[in-house]
Structures are given as C-alpha cells and as structure tokens.
PDB file of all heavy atoms in Angstrom:
ATOM      1  N   ILE A 385      16.344   9.834  -6.815  1.00 83.00           N
ATOM      2  CA  ILE A 385      16.895   8.978  -5.766  1.00 83.00           C
ATOM      3  C   ILE A 385      15.939   8.859  -4.586  1.00 83.00           C
ATOM      4  O   ILE A 385      15.738   7.784  -4.033  1.00 83.00           O
ATOM      5  CB  ILE A 385      18.264   9.522  -5.289  1.00 83.00           C
ATOM      6  CG1 ILE A 385      19.273   9.434  -6.439  1.00 83.00           C
ATOM      7  CG2 ILE A 385      18.772   8.733  -4.096  1.00 83.00           C
ATOM      8  CD1 ILE A 385      20.589  10.110  -6.145  1.00 83.00           C
ATOM      9  N   GLY A 386      15.307   9.987  -4.198  1.00 75.00           N
ATOM     10  CA  GLY A 386      14.438   9.950  -3.024  1.00 75.00           C
ATOM     11  C   GLY A 386      15.259   9.730  -1.762  1.00 75.00           C
ATOM     12  O   GLY A 386      16.482   9.607  -1.799  1.00 75.00           O
ATOM     13  N   ASN A 387      14.605   9.665  -0.625  1.00 82.00           N
ATOM     14  CA  ASN A 387      15.325   9.390   0.623  1.00 82.00           C
ATOM     15  C   ASN A 387      14.440   8.731   1.672  1.00 82.00           C
ATOM     16  O   ASN A 387      14.760   8.726   2.849  1.00 82.00           O
ATOM     17  CB  ASN A 387      15.913  10.686   1.193  1.00 82.00           C
ATOM     18  CG  ASN A 387      14.846  11.689   1.585  1.00 82.00           C
ATOM     19  OD1 ASN A 387      13.663  11.463   1.377  1.00 82.00           O
ATOM     20  ND2 ASN A 387      15.273  12.803   2.140  1.00 82.00           N
ATOM     21  N   TYR A 388      13.315   8.150   1.227  1.00 83.00           N
ATOM     22  CA  TYR A 388      12.358   7.636   2.191  1.00 83.00           C
ATOM     23  C   TYR A 388      11.596   6.475   1.571  1.00 83.00           C
ATOM     24  O   TYR A 388      11.042   6.601   0.474  1.00 83.00           O
ATOM     25  CB  TYR A 388      11.376   8.769   2.545  1.00 83.00           C
ATOM     26  CG  TYR A 388      10.674   8.647   3.871  1.00 83.00           C
ATOM     27  CD1 TYR A 388      11.360   8.443   5.053  1.00 83.00           C
ATOM     28  CD2 TYR A 388       9.277   8.749   3.932  1.00 83.00           C
ATOM     29  CE1 TYR A 388      10.710   8.365   6.269  1.00 83.00           C
ATOM     30  CE2 TYR A 388       8.611   8.675   5.151  1.00 83.00           C
ATOM     31  CZ  TYR A 388       9.335   8.480   6.314  1.00 83.00           C
ATOM     32  OH  TYR A 388       8.689   8.399   7.523  1.00 83.00           O
ATOM     33  N   ILE A 389      11.572   5.332   2.220  1.00 88.00           N
ATOM     34  CA  ILE A 389      10.791   4.184   1.780  1.00 88.00           C
ATOM     35  C   ILE A 389       9.699   3.946   2.811  1.00 88.00           C
ATOM     36  O   ILE A 389       9.983   3.861   4.010  1.00 88.00           O
ATOM     37  CB  ILE A 389      11.664   2.930   1.623  1.00 88.00           C
ATOM     38  CG1 ILE A 389      12.656   3.136   0.461  1.00 88.00           C
ATOM     39  CG2 ILE A 389      10.815   1.691   1.364  1.00 88.00           C
ATOM     40  CD1 ILE A 389      13.580   1.977   0.233  1.00 88.00           C
ATOM     41  N   THR A 390       8.455   3.879   2.355  1.00 85.00           N
ATOM     42  CA  THR A 390       7.335   3.815   3.282  1.00 85.00           C
ATOM     43  C   THR A 390       6.503   2.550   3.113  1.00 85.00           C
ATOM     44  O   THR A 390       6.489   1.930   2.049  1.00 85.00           O
ATOM     45  CB  THR A 390       6.400   5.027   3.109  1.00 85.00           C
ATOM     46  OG1 THR A 390       5.838   4.993   1.796  1.00 85.00           O
ATOM     47  CG2 THR A 390       7.145   6.334   3.316  1.00 85.00           C
ATOM     48  N   VAL A 391       5.821   2.210   4.190  1.00 86.00           N
ATOM     49  CA  VAL A 391       4.827   1.151   4.192  1.00 86.00           C
ATOM     50  C   VAL A 391       3.554   1.734   4.777  1.00 86.00           C
ATOM     51  O   VAL A 391       3.559   2.265   5.890  1.00 86.00           O
ATOM     52  CB  VAL A 391       5.279  -0.060   5.035  1.00 86.00           C
ATOM     53  CG1 VAL A 391       4.110  -1.014   5.266  1.00 86.00           C
ATOM     54  CG2 VAL A 391       6.415  -0.792   4.354  1.00 86.00           C
ATOM     55  N   SER A 392       2.476   1.665   4.025  1.00 79.00           N
ATOM     56  CA  SER A 392       1.198   2.141   4.519  1.00 79.00           C
ATOM     57  C   SER A 392       0.692   1.190   5.604  1.00 79.00           C
ATOM     58  O   SER A 392       0.881  -0.021   5.516  1.00 79.00           O
ATOM     59  CB  SER A 392       0.186   2.214   3.371  1.00 79.00           C
ATOM     60  OG  SER A 392      -1.089   2.568   3.851  1.00 79.00           O
ATOM     61  N   LYS A 393       0.054   1.736   6.615  1.00 79.00           N
ATOM     62  CA  LYS A 393      -0.435   0.897   7.711  1.00 79.00           C
ATOM     63  C   LYS A 393      -1.465  -0.124   7.250  1.00 79.00           C
ATOM     64  O   LYS A 393      -1.588  -1.196   7.841  1.00 79.00           O
ATOM     65  CB  LYS A 393      -1.030   1.778   8.813  1.00 79.00           C
ATOM     66  CG  LYS A 393       0.034   2.519   9.623  1.00 79.00           C
ATOM     67  CD  LYS A 393      -0.582   3.296  10.765  1.00 79.00           C
ATOM     68  CE  LYS A 393       0.508   3.993  11.587  1.00 79.00           C
ATOM     69  NZ  LYS A 393      -0.056   4.790  12.696  1.00 79.00           N
ATOM     70  N   ASP A 394      -2.197   0.207   6.173  1.00 73.00           N
ATOM     71  CA  ASP A 394      -3.175  -0.766   5.711  1.00 73.00           C
ATOM     72  C   ASP A 394      -2.532  -1.892   4.910  1.00 73.00           C
ATOM     73  O   ASP A 394      -3.207  -2.792   4.423  1.00 73.00           O
ATOM     74  CB  ASP A 394      -4.300  -0.103   4.903  1.00 73.00           C
ATOM     75  CG  ASP A 394      -3.787   0.674   3.695  1.00 73.00           C
ATOM     76  OD1 ASP A 394      -2.642   0.429   3.280  1.00 73.00           O
ATOM     77  OD2 ASP A 394      -4.527   1.528   3.179  1.00 73.00           O
ATOM     78  N   ALA A 395      -1.182  -1.844   4.773  1.00 75.00           N
ATOM     79  CA  ALA A 395      -0.459  -2.954   4.147  1.00 75.00           C
ATOM     80  C   ALA A 395       0.101  -3.904   5.200  1.00 75.00           C
ATOM     81  O   ALA A 395       0.831  -4.831   4.878  1.00 75.00           O
ATOM     82  CB  ALA A 395       0.682  -2.422   3.281  1.00 75.00           C
ATOM     83  N   ILE A 396      -0.241  -3.667   6.463  1.00 77.00           N
ATOM     84  CA  ILE A 396       0.249  -4.506   7.551  1.00 77.00           C
ATOM     85  C   ILE A 396      -0.863  -5.455   7.968  1.00 77.00           C
ATOM     86  O   ILE A 396      -1.933  -5.033   8.398  1.00 77.00           O
ATOM     87  CB  ILE A 396       0.701  -3.656   8.751  1.00 77.00           C
ATOM     88  CG1 ILE A 396       1.814  -2.699   8.312  1.00 77.00           C
ATOM     89  CG2 ILE A 396       1.195  -4.548   9.883  1.00 77.00           C
ATOM     90  CD1 ILE A 396       2.208  -1.694   9.362  1.00 77.00           C
ATOM     91  N   LYS A 397      -0.602  -6.734   7.837  1.00 69.00           N
ATOM     92  CA  LYS A 397      -1.596  -7.745   8.153  1.00 69.00           C
ATOM     93  C   LYS A 397      -1.662  -7.973   9.660  1.00 69.00           C
ATOM     94  O   LYS A 397      -0.695  -7.740  10.376  1.00 69.00           O
ATOM     95  CB  LYS A 397      -1.250  -9.063   7.448  1.00 69.00           C
ATOM     96  CG  LYS A 397      -1.254  -8.968   5.930  1.00 69.00           C
ATOM     97  CD  LYS A 397      -0.885 -10.282   5.281  1.00 69.00           C
ATOM     98  CE  LYS A 397       0.588 -10.603   5.439  1.00 69.00           C
ATOM     99  NZ  LYS A 397       0.983 -11.804   4.687  1.00 69.00           N
ATOM    100  N   SER A 398      -2.787  -8.445  10.098  1.00 60.00           N
ATOM    101  CA  SER A 398      -2.975  -8.779  11.507  1.00 60.00           C
ATOM    102  C   SER A 398      -2.815 -10.272  11.691  1.00 60.00           C
ATOM    103  O   SER A 398      -3.533 -11.063  11.090  1.00 60.00           O
ATOM    104  CB  SER A 398      -4.376  -8.341  11.963  1.00 60.00           C
ATOM    105  OG  SER A 398      -4.605  -8.746  13.293  1.00 60.00           O
ATOM    106  N   ASN A 399      -1.827 -10.672  12.519  1.00 48.00           N
ATOM    107  CA  ASN A 399      -1.559 -12.088  12.781  1.00 48.00           C
ATOM    108  C   ASN A 399      -1.295 -12.872  11.497  1.00 48.00           C
ATOM    109  O   ASN A 399      -1.685 -14.020  11.363  1.00 48.00           O
ATOM    110  CB  ASN A 399      -2.730 -12.734  13.534  1.00 48.00           C
ATOM    111  CG  ASN A 399      -2.936 -12.113  14.891  1.00 48.00           C
ATOM    112  OD1 ASN A 399      -1.971 -11.775  15.573  1.00 48.00           O
ATOM    113  ND2 ASN A 399      -4.195 -11.938  15.284  1.00 48.00           N
ATOM    114  N   GLY A 400      -0.678 -12.188  10.526  1.00 41.00           N
ATOM    115  CA  GLY A 400      -0.313 -12.856   9.282  1.00 41.00           C
ATOM    116  C   GLY A 400      -1.485 -13.077   8.341  1.00 41.00           C
ATOM    117  O   GLY A 400      -1.368 -13.733   7.338  1.00 41.00           O
ATOM    118  N   VAL A 401      -2.654 -12.521   8.675  1.00 40.00           N
ATOM    119  CA  VAL A 401      -3.824 -12.693   7.815  1.00 40.00           C
ATOM    120  C   VAL A 401      -4.356 -11.318   7.452  1.00 40.00           C
ATOM    121  O   VAL A 401      -4.340 -10.395   8.253  1.00 40.00           O
ATOM    122  CB  VAL A 401      -4.920 -13.512   8.543  1.00 40.00           C
ATOM    123  CG1 VAL A 401      -6.128 -13.699   7.643  1.00 40.00           C
ATOM    124  CG2 VAL A 401      -4.373 -14.864   8.966  1.00 40.00           C
ATOM    125  N   LEU A 402      -4.834 -11.163   6.238  1.00 39.00           N
ATOM    126  CA  LEU A 402      -5.312  -9.861   5.787  1.00 39.00           C
ATOM    127  C   LEU A 402      -6.714  -9.540   6.303  1.00 39.00           C
ATOM    128  O   LEU A 402      -7.454  -8.791   5.697  1.00 39.00           O
ATOM    129  CB  LEU A 402      -5.338  -9.816   4.251  1.00 39.00           C
ATOM    130  CG  LEU A 402      -3.995  -9.564   3.572  1.00 39.00           C
ATOM    131  CD1 LEU A 402      -4.133  -9.774   2.075  1.00 39.00           C
ATOM    132  CD2 LEU A 402      -3.489  -8.169   3.850  1.00 39.00           C
ATOM    133  N   GLY A 403      -7.074 -10.105   7.436  1.00 46.00           N
ATOM    134  CA  GLY A 403      -8.398  -9.848   7.986  1.00 46.00           C
ATOM    135  C   GLY A 403      -9.459 -10.318   7.004  1.00 46.00           C
ATOM    136  O   GLY A 403      -9.324 -11.346   6.363  1.00 46.00           O
ATOM    137  N   LYS A 404     -10.527  -9.558   6.883  1.00 50.00           N
ATOM    138  CA  LYS A 404     -11.593  -9.911   5.945  1.00 50.00           C
ATOM    139  C   LYS A 404     -11.292  -9.431   4.536  1.00 50.00           C
ATOM    140  O   LYS A 404     -11.930  -9.851   3.585  1.00 50.00           O
ATOM    141  CB  LYS A 404     -12.913  -9.302   6.425  1.00 50.00           C
ATOM    142  CG  LYS A 404     -13.417  -9.892   7.736  1.00 50.00           C
ATOM    143  CD  LYS A 404     -14.739  -9.275   8.126  1.00 50.00           C
ATOM    144  CE  LYS A 404     -15.250  -9.879   9.440  1.00 50.00           C
ATOM    145  NZ  LYS A 404     -16.547  -9.276   9.849  1.00 50.00           N
ATOM    146  N   ALA A 405     -10.343  -8.537   4.395  1.00 65.00           N
ATOM    147  CA  ALA A 405     -10.025  -7.984   3.074  1.00 65.00           C
ATOM    148  C   ALA A 405      -9.121  -8.920   2.290  1.00 65.00           C
ATOM    149  O   ALA A 405      -8.189  -9.508   2.833  1.00 65.00           O
ATOM    150  CB  ALA A 405      -9.356  -6.624   3.222  1.00 65.00           C
ATOM    151  N   THR A 406      -9.394  -9.060   1.005  1.00 76.00           N
ATOM    152  CA  THR A 406      -8.525  -9.838   0.136  1.00 76.00           C
ATOM    153  C   THR A 406      -7.317  -8.985  -0.251  1.00 76.00           C
ATOM    154  O   THR A 406      -7.284  -7.772  -0.014  1.00 76.00           O
ATOM    155  CB  THR A 406      -9.269 -10.256  -1.145  1.00 76.00           C
ATOM    156  OG1 THR A 406      -9.618  -9.059  -1.872  1.00 76.00           O
ATOM    157  CG2 THR A 406     -10.526 -11.038  -0.813  1.00 76.00           C
ATOM    158  N   LEU A 407      -6.337  -9.616  -0.894  1.00 78.00           N
ATOM    159  CA  LEU A 407      -5.169  -8.874  -1.378  1.00 78.00           C
ATOM    160  C   LEU A 407      -5.611  -7.791  -2.353  1.00 78.00           C
ATOM    161  O   LEU A 407      -5.126  -6.655  -2.304  1.00 78.00           O
ATOM    162  CB  LEU A 407      -4.192  -9.834  -2.058  1.00 78.00           C
ATOM    163  CG  LEU A 407      -2.996  -9.198  -2.774  1.00 78.00           C
ATOM    164  CD1 LEU A 407      -2.128  -8.431  -1.790  1.00 78.00           C
ATOM    165  CD2 LEU A 407      -2.179 -10.262  -3.495  1.00 78.00           C
ATOM    166  N   GLN A 408      -6.546  -8.127  -3.229  1.00 82.00           N
ATOM    167  CA  GLN A 408      -7.021  -7.169  -4.225  1.00 82.00           C
ATOM    168  C   GLN A 408      -7.694  -5.966  -3.558  1.00 82.00           C
ATOM    169  O   GLN A 408      -7.490  -4.816  -3.963  1.00 82.00           O
ATOM    170  CB  GLN A 408      -8.009  -7.859  -5.184  1.00 82.00           C
ATOM    171  CG  GLN A 408      -7.372  -8.905  -6.086  1.00 82.00           C
ATOM    172  CD  GLN A 408      -7.113 -10.236  -5.381  1.00 82.00           C
ATOM    173  OE1 GLN A 408      -7.467 -10.408  -4.213  1.00 82.00           O
ATOM    174  NE2 GLN A 408      -6.482 -11.166  -6.072  1.00 82.00           N
ATOM    175  N   GLU A 409      -8.508  -6.231  -2.534  1.00 81.00           N
ATOM    176  CA  GLU A 409      -9.176  -5.143  -1.818  1.00 81.00           C
ATOM    177  C   GLU A 409      -8.163  -4.274  -1.090  1.00 81.00           C
ATOM    178  O   GLU A 409      -8.294  -3.045  -1.057  1.00 81.00           O
ATOM    179  CB  GLU A 409     -10.196  -5.713  -0.828  1.00 81.00           C
ATOM    180  CG  GLU A 409     -11.412  -6.330  -1.501  1.00 81.00           C
ATOM    181  CD  GLU A 409     -12.261  -7.147  -0.548  1.00 81.00           C
ATOM    182  OE1 GLU A 409     -11.741  -7.545   0.525  1.00 81.00           O
ATOM    183  OE2 GLU A 409     -13.432  -7.395  -0.870  1.00 81.00           O
ATOM    184  N   THR A 410      -7.158  -4.916  -0.532  1.00 79.00           N
ATOM    185  CA  THR A 410      -6.120  -4.167   0.174  1.00 79.00           C
ATOM    186  C   THR A 410      -5.361  -3.262  -0.783  1.00 79.00           C
ATOM    187  O   THR A 410      -5.076  -2.100  -0.470  1.00 79.00           O
ATOM    188  CB  THR A 410      -5.135  -5.138   0.860  1.00 79.00           C
ATOM    189  OG1 THR A 410      -5.857  -5.974   1.757  1.00 79.00           O
ATOM    190  CG2 THR A 410      -4.072  -4.382   1.628  1.00 79.00           C
ATOM    191  N   ILE A 411      -5.025  -3.776  -1.976  1.00 82.00           N
ATOM    192  CA  ILE A 411      -4.336  -2.976  -2.977  1.00 82.00           C
ATOM    193  C   ILE A 411      -5.191  -1.792  -3.391  1.00 82.00           C
ATOM    194  O   ILE A 411      -4.719  -0.653  -3.476  1.00 82.00           O
ATOM    195  CB  ILE A 411      -3.983  -3.849  -4.206  1.00 82.00           C
ATOM    196  CG1 ILE A 411      -2.895  -4.859  -3.840  1.00 82.00           C
ATOM    197  CG2 ILE A 411      -3.536  -2.967  -5.378  1.00 82.00           C
ATOM    198  CD1 ILE A 411      -2.635  -5.894  -4.912  1.00 82.00           C
ATOM    199  N   SER A 412      -6.472  -2.035  -3.646  1.00 86.00           N
ATOM    200  CA  SER A 412      -7.381  -0.968  -4.050  1.00 86.00           C
ATOM    201  C   SER A 412      -7.483   0.110  -2.969  1.00 86.00           C
ATOM    202  O   SER A 412      -7.435   1.313  -3.264  1.00 86.00           O
ATOM    203  CB  SER A 412      -8.763  -1.549  -4.344  1.00 86.00           C
ATOM    204  OG  SER A 412      -9.670  -0.533  -4.695  1.00 86.00           O
ATOM    205  N   GLN A 413      -7.618  -0.312  -1.713  1.00 83.00           N
ATOM    206  CA  GLN A 413      -7.701   0.648  -0.612  1.00 83.00           C
ATOM    207  C   GLN A 413      -6.435   1.491  -0.521  1.00 83.00           C
ATOM    208  O   GLN A 413      -6.486   2.701  -0.281  1.00 83.00           O
ATOM    209  CB  GLN A 413      -7.927  -0.097   0.703  1.00 83.00           C
ATOM    210  CG  GLN A 413      -9.307  -0.731   0.821  1.00 83.00           C
ATOM    211  CD  GLN A 413      -9.408  -1.704   1.986  1.00 83.00           C
ATOM    212  OE1 GLN A 413      -8.484  -1.809   2.793  1.00 83.00           O
ATOM    213  NE2 GLN A 413     -10.524  -2.412   2.071  1.00 83.00           N
ATOM    214  N   ARG A 414      -5.297   0.841  -0.740  1.00 83.00           N
ATOM    215  CA  ARG A 414      -4.022   1.542  -0.652  1.00 83.00           C
ATOM    216  C   ARG A 414      -3.897   2.581  -1.768  1.00 83.00           C
ATOM    217  O   ARG A 414      -3.441   3.706  -1.548  1.00 83.00           O
ATOM    218  CB  ARG A 414      -2.877   0.530  -0.745  1.00 83.00           C
ATOM    219  CG  ARG A 414      -1.501   1.080  -0.400  1.00 83.00           C
ATOM    220  CD  ARG A 414      -0.471  -0.022  -0.510  1.00 83.00           C
ATOM    221  NE  ARG A 414      -0.875  -1.175   0.270  1.00 83.00           N
ATOM    222  CZ  ARG A 414      -0.643  -2.433  -0.096  1.00 83.00           C
ATOM    223  NH1 ARG A 414      -0.047  -2.691  -1.243  1.00 83.00           N
ATOM    224  NH2 ARG A 414      -1.018  -3.438   0.659  1.00 83.00           N
ATOM    225  N   LEU A 415      -4.300   2.198  -2.982  1.00 89.00           N
ATOM    226  CA  LEU A 415      -4.231   3.126  -4.103  1.00 89.00           C
ATOM    227  C   LEU A 415      -5.171   4.317  -3.895  1.00 89.00           C
ATOM    228  O   LEU A 415      -4.804   5.465  -4.167  1.00 89.00           O
ATOM    229  CB  LEU A 415      -4.583   2.403  -5.403  1.00 89.00           C
ATOM    230  CG  LEU A 415      -3.587   1.345  -5.895  1.00 89.00           C
ATOM    231  CD1 LEU A 415      -4.171   0.567  -7.061  1.00 89.00           C
ATOM    232  CD2 LEU A 415      -2.259   1.984  -6.287  1.00 89.00           C
ATOM    233  N   LYS A 416      -6.376   4.048  -3.398  1.00 91.00           N
ATOM    234  CA  LYS A 416      -7.329   5.128  -3.139  1.00 91.00           C
ATOM    235  C   LYS A 416      -6.807   6.079  -2.070  1.00 91.00           C
ATOM    236  O   LYS A 416      -6.974   7.305  -2.170  1.00 91.00           O
ATOM    237  CB  LYS A 416      -8.675   4.546  -2.727  1.00 91.00           C
ATOM    238  CG  LYS A 416      -9.422   3.868  -3.859  1.00 91.00           C
ATOM    239  CD  LYS A 416     -10.706   3.221  -3.372  1.00 91.00           C
ATOM    240  CE  LYS A 416     -11.435   2.511  -4.515  1.00 91.00           C
ATOM    241  NZ  LYS A 416     -12.649   1.803  -4.036  1.00 91.00           N
ATOM    242  N   LYS A 417      -6.159   5.520  -1.057  1.00 88.00           N
ATOM    243  CA  LYS A 417      -5.598   6.360   0.004  1.00 88.00           C
ATOM    244  C   LYS A 417      -4.475   7.244  -0.546  1.00 88.00           C
ATOM    245  O   LYS A 417      -4.337   8.409  -0.170  1.00 88.00           O
ATOM    246  CB  LYS A 417      -5.080   5.498   1.149  1.00 88.00           C
ATOM    247  CG  LYS A 417      -4.711   6.291   2.403  1.00 88.00           C
ATOM    248  CD  LYS A 417      -4.372   5.376   3.542  1.00 88.00           C
ATOM    249  CE  LYS A 417      -5.581   4.609   4.011  1.00 88.00           C
ATOM    250  NZ  LYS A 417      -6.589   5.490   4.636  1.00 88.00           N
ATOM    251  N   ARG A 418      -3.681   6.682  -1.486  1.00 89.00           N
ATOM    252  CA  ARG A 418      -2.600   7.470  -2.083  1.00 89.00           C
ATOM    253  C   ARG A 418      -3.176   8.611  -2.915  1.00 89.00           C
ATOM    254  O   ARG A 418      -2.638   9.723  -2.908  1.00 89.00           O
ATOM    255  CB  ARG A 418      -1.712   6.579  -2.950  1.00 89.00           C
ATOM    256  CG  ARG A 418      -0.465   7.297  -3.484  1.00 89.00           C
ATOM    257  CD  ARG A 418       0.346   7.878  -2.361  1.00 89.00           C
ATOM    258  NE  ARG A 418       1.491   8.650  -2.827  1.00 89.00           N
ATOM    259  CZ  ARG A 418       2.063   9.615  -2.140  1.00 89.00           C
ATOM    260  NH1 ARG A 418       1.615   9.938  -0.926  1.00 89.00           N
ATOM    261  NH2 ARG A 418       3.082  10.279  -2.629  1.00 89.00           N
ATOM    262  N   VAL A 419      -4.267   8.363  -3.628  1.00 94.00           N
ATOM    263  CA  VAL A 419      -4.941   9.428  -4.385  1.00 94.00           C
ATOM    264  C   VAL A 419      -5.386  10.536  -3.432  1.00 94.00           C
ATOM    265  O   VAL A 419      -5.219  11.732  -3.723  1.00 94.00           O
ATOM    266  CB  VAL A 419      -6.145   8.873  -5.169  1.00 94.00           C
ATOM    267  CG1 VAL A 419      -7.004  10.010  -5.713  1.00 94.00           C
ATOM    268  CG2 VAL A 419      -5.673   7.998  -6.323  1.00 94.00           C
ATOM    269  N   GLU A 420      -5.936  10.160  -2.278  1.00 93.00           N
ATOM    270  CA  GLU A 420      -6.371  11.154  -1.292  1.00 93.00           C
ATOM    271  C   GLU A 420      -5.199  11.994  -0.795  1.00 93.00           C
ATOM    272  O   GLU A 420      -5.292  13.223  -0.687  1.00 93.00           O
ATOM    273  CB  GLU A 420      -7.036  10.454  -0.102  1.00 93.00           C
ATOM    274  CG  GLU A 420      -8.378   9.819  -0.415  1.00 93.00           C
ATOM    275  CD  GLU A 420      -8.940   9.071   0.780  1.00 93.00           C
ATOM    276  OE1 GLU A 420      -8.357   9.188   1.883  1.00 93.00           O
ATOM    277  OE2 GLU A 420      -9.957   8.359   0.613  1.00 93.00           O
ATOM    278  N   GLN A 421      -4.074  11.338  -0.507  1.00 90.00           N
ATOM    279  CA  GLN A 421      -2.898  12.053  -0.012  1.00 90.00           C
ATOM    280  C   GLN A 421      -2.365  13.023  -1.056  1.00 90.00           C
ATOM    281  O   GLN A 421      -2.034  14.175  -0.748  1.00 90.00           O
ATOM    282  CB  GLN A 421      -1.806  11.044   0.382  1.00 90.00           C
ATOM    283  CG  GLN A 421      -2.156  10.193   1.581  1.00 90.00           C
ATOM    284  CD  GLN A 421      -1.189   9.046   1.781  1.00 90.00           C
ATOM    285  OE1 GLN A 421      -0.478   8.637   0.850  1.00 90.00           O
ATOM    286  NE2 GLN A 421      -1.150   8.495   2.991  1.00 90.00           N
ATOM    287  N   LEU A 422      -2.294  12.570  -2.290  1.00 94.00           N
ATOM    288  CA  LEU A 422      -1.801  13.424  -3.367  1.00 94.00           C
ATOM    289  C   LEU A 422      -2.751  14.589  -3.620  1.00 94.00           C
ATOM    290  O   LEU A 422      -2.310  15.709  -3.893  1.00 94.00           O
ATOM    291  CB  LEU A 422      -1.609  12.602  -4.635  1.00 94.00           C
ATOM    292  CG  LEU A 422      -0.435  11.624  -4.619  1.00 94.00           C
ATOM    293  CD1 LEU A 422      -0.566  10.599  -5.736  1.00 94.00           C
ATOM    294  CD2 LEU A 422       0.892  12.364  -4.726  1.00 94.00           C
ATOM    295  N   SER A 423      -4.034  14.324  -3.527  1.00 96.00           N
ATOM    296  CA  SER A 423      -5.025  15.386  -3.733  1.00 96.00           C
ATOM    297  C   SER A 423      -4.876  16.475  -2.683  1.00 96.00           C
ATOM    298  O   SER A 423      -4.978  17.676  -2.989  1.00 96.00           O
ATOM    299  CB  SER A 423      -6.445  14.801  -3.689  1.00 96.00           C
ATOM    300  OG  SER A 423      -6.642  13.891  -4.758  1.00 96.00           O
ATOM    301  N   LYS A 424      -4.621  16.084  -1.436  1.00 94.00           N
ATOM    302  CA  LYS A 424      -4.418  17.069  -0.373  1.00 94.00           C
ATOM    303  C   LYS A 424      -3.182  17.918  -0.657  1.00 94.00           C
ATOM    304  O   LYS A 424      -3.188  19.132  -0.450  1.00 94.00           O
ATOM    305  CB  LYS A 424      -4.276  16.371   0.976  1.00 94.00           C
ATOM    306  CG  LYS A 424      -5.583  15.797   1.516  1.00 94.00           C
ATOM    307  CD  LYS A 424      -5.366  15.104   2.857  1.00 94.00           C
ATOM    308  CE  LYS A 424      -6.677  14.525   3.384  1.00 94.00           C
ATOM    309  NZ  LYS A 424      -6.483  13.790   4.666  1.00 94.00           N
TER     310      LYS A 424
END
C-alpha cells in the first residue's frame, strides 16, 4: 500500500518548459538519481 507519493524536483519544469533537457534526458536523470538513492 505504501503511504507516500513523491515527485522528484528534477521532474518539475521551469515556466512549463523542460529547460534544455528533453523528456528523455529528464527521465534518464531521474532514474539515475533513484539508483543513487537506493545505493545509499
């Protein structure tokens, strides 16, 4: 069931635009960050 739904800060766009990063790059960065968190 869990009890917490999260949004990573790097999933938050600036002014509705993903900055210079594409959606694919953003997804990759998010997955890599999750690997880092789990590794810790």
Side-chain angles (χ1 to χ4, degrees):
I385 295 172
N387 64 356
Y388 203 52
I389 293 179
T390 63
V391 168
S392 175
K393 286 184 178 179
D394 57 18
I396 301 172
K397 298 179 288 186
S398 176
N399 297 322
V401 180
L402 280 171
K404 294 182 180 179
T406 64
L407 173 62
Q408 292 78 3
E409 290 168 341
T410 302
I411 291 171
S412 178
Q413 290 168 7
R414 191 179 307 144
L415 292 171
K416 289 176 181 176
K417 190 173 293 293
R418 186 56 184 155
V419 168
E420 291 176 8
Q421 293 169 339
L422 289 164
S423 296
K424 287 179 180 178

